């Protein structure tokens, strides 16, 4: 069943391995699977973005989501999926270029530009306000270069600071937003907020599990509640793998 974010790793993981190793054989070996994922693994609407009727895991484990419904967070799930689709499409363009597939790269570049335009029409108001005004939504739009006009970007750049301060420096992101929220804050020239968030010690935050006795990374921000009881959601883990947990600063 097609799902954004998780399925995107078919493209993003080989790209990351290539960036770390400069080994083009990784891209060559995975090229067909990346191409198949992008062109047959995405349930698309007429505009090329995700089918809005397709249920998405979205910003999974947003701390605001009910324990029994971890996909029901603050950020619209289709917006998350569409923002990530623009990212992986542009990433596949880079893969084509790295492999010398120039004609394919040009084709994918046009597709990425079209998706970006459709995203802007669908989710970004003329003055730059984003439909899902959340830490994750703002970070996705900024880090994926989804704003076009300079005046829009000026409005967008102010959003992360407002959202972080209004949350009293608590993290408000799930799987989709956590790897990029600190990068987004740095991109809009507020690195001090990144460190302030990192050093926040109350729930929900990166440091919260430490005084609670954690020695490993938890799956949920609040796998253990402040009163010492276990999160009532059926799905929780106190030793979660690195790329699948909400605790990573980057993925």
């Amino acid at each position: 069943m097609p799902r954004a974010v998780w399925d995107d790793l078919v493209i993003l993981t080989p790209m990351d391995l290539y960036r770390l190793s400069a080994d083009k054989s990784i891209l060559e070996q995975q090229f067909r699977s990346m191409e198949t994922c992008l062109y047959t693994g995405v349930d698309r609407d007429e505009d090329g973005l995700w089918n809005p009727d397709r249920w998405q895991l979205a910003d999974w484990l947003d701390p605001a989501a009910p324990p029994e419904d971890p996909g029901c967070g603050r950020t619209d799930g289709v917006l998350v999926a569409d923002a990530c689709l623009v990212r992986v499409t542009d990433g596949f363009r880079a893969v084509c270029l790295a492999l010398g597939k120039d004609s394919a790269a040009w084709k994918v570049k046009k597709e990425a530009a079209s998706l970006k335009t459709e995203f802007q029409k669908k989710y970004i108001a003329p003055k730059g306000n984003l439909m899902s005004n959340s830490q994750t939504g703002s970070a996705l739009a900024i880090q994926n270069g989804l704003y076009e006009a300079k005046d829009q970007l000026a409005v967008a750049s102010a959003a992360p600071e407002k959202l972080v301060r209004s949350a009293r420096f608590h993290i408000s992101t799930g799987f989709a937003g956590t790897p990029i929220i600190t990068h987004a804050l740095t991109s809009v020239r507020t690195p001090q907020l990144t460190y302030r968030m990192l050093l926040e010690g109350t729930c929900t935050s990166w440091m919260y599990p430490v005084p609670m006795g954690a020695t490993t990374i938890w799956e949920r921000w609040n796998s253990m509640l402040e009163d010492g009881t276990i999160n009532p959601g059926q799905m929780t883990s106190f030793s979660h793998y690195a790329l699948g947990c909400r605790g990573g600063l980057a993925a």
Side-chain angles (χ1 to χ4, degrees):
M1 187 176 293
R3 291 285 182 268
V5 183
W6 278 253
D7 292 2
D8 296 345
L9 295 182
V10 174
I11 294 172
L12 298 179
T13 299
M15 287 173 55
D16 287 341
L17 292 173
Y18 169 66
R19 278 196 291 264
L20 291 170
S21 67
D23 183 357
K24 288 187 180 181
S25 68
I26 296 172
L27 301 182
E28 292 167 349
Q29 292 169 11
Q30 297 300 125
F31 184 82
R32 181 62 63 85
S33 64
M34 288 189 278
E35 185 177 43
T36 301
C37 177
L38 187 60
Y39 291 111
T40 65
V42 177
D43 182 8
R44 297 178 187 261
D45 199 14
E46 293 180 357
D47 58 8
L49 296 171
W50 275 91
N51 176 0
D53 295 327
R54 168 71 65 180
W55 184 81
Q56 297 286 349
L57 292 167
D59 194 27
W60 191 253
L61 292 181
D62 174 340
E68 69 281 0
D69 192 3
C72 188
R74 279 166 277 222
T75 311
D76 179 75
V78 184
L79 180 149
V80 171
D82 288 341
C84 292
L85 179 58
V86 177
R87 177 191 179 192
V88 296
T89 302
D90 191 59
F92 188 62
R93 174 196 60 82
V95 169
C96 292
L97 282 176
L99 294 178
K101 300 177 183 292
D102 295 343
S103 60
W106 176 249
K107 172 178 174 288
V108 180
K109 180 180 180 180
K110 291 193 293 183
E111 292 171 354
S114 175
L115 291 175
K116 180 178 177 179
T117 298
E118 293 300 327
F119 183 95
Q120 291 166 345
K121 291 192 296 186
K122 190 173 182 179
Y123 299 110
I124 301 176
K127 291 188 176 181
N129 293 306
L130 189 68
M131 187 192 80
S132 273
N133 192 32
S134 64
Q135 288 184 15
T136 290
S138 178
L140 283 169
I142 289 171
Q143 285 304 105
N144 293 333
L146 296 175
Y147 292 97
E148 190 66 35
K150 289 184 178 180
D151 56 342
Q152 286 187 337
L153 188 56
V155 172
S157 296
E161 179 174 1
K162 291 179 181 177
L163 291 163
V164 168
R165 290 188 182 279
S166 65
R168 302 294 191 271
F169 305 103
H170 291 105
I171 191 74
S172 303
T173 58
F175 273 51
T178 298
I180 58 173
I181 181 61
T182 55
H183 297 290
L185 289 169
T186 302
S187 295
V188 298
R189 300 181 181 180
T190 54
Q192 72 278 9
L193 293 183
T194 296
Y195 289 102
R196 179 61 182 84
M197 285 184 76
L198 179 60
L199 295 175
E200 175 58 43
T202 57
C203 190
T204 51
S205 67
W206 277 288
M207 293 295 106
Y208 163 69
V210 177
M212 299 298 291
T215 57
T216 52
I217 295 293
W218 296 353
E219 182 178 16
R220 294 177 182 262
W221 291 110
N222 57 348
S223 286
M224 181 181 290
L225 304 182
E226 292 174 283
D227 62 3
T229 60
I230 306 304
N231 189 295
Q234 289 185 336
M235 178 199 67
T236 194
S237 167
F238 288 95
S239 183
H240 214 61
Y241 54 96
L243 290 181
C245 68
R246 52 90 209 125
L249 284 171

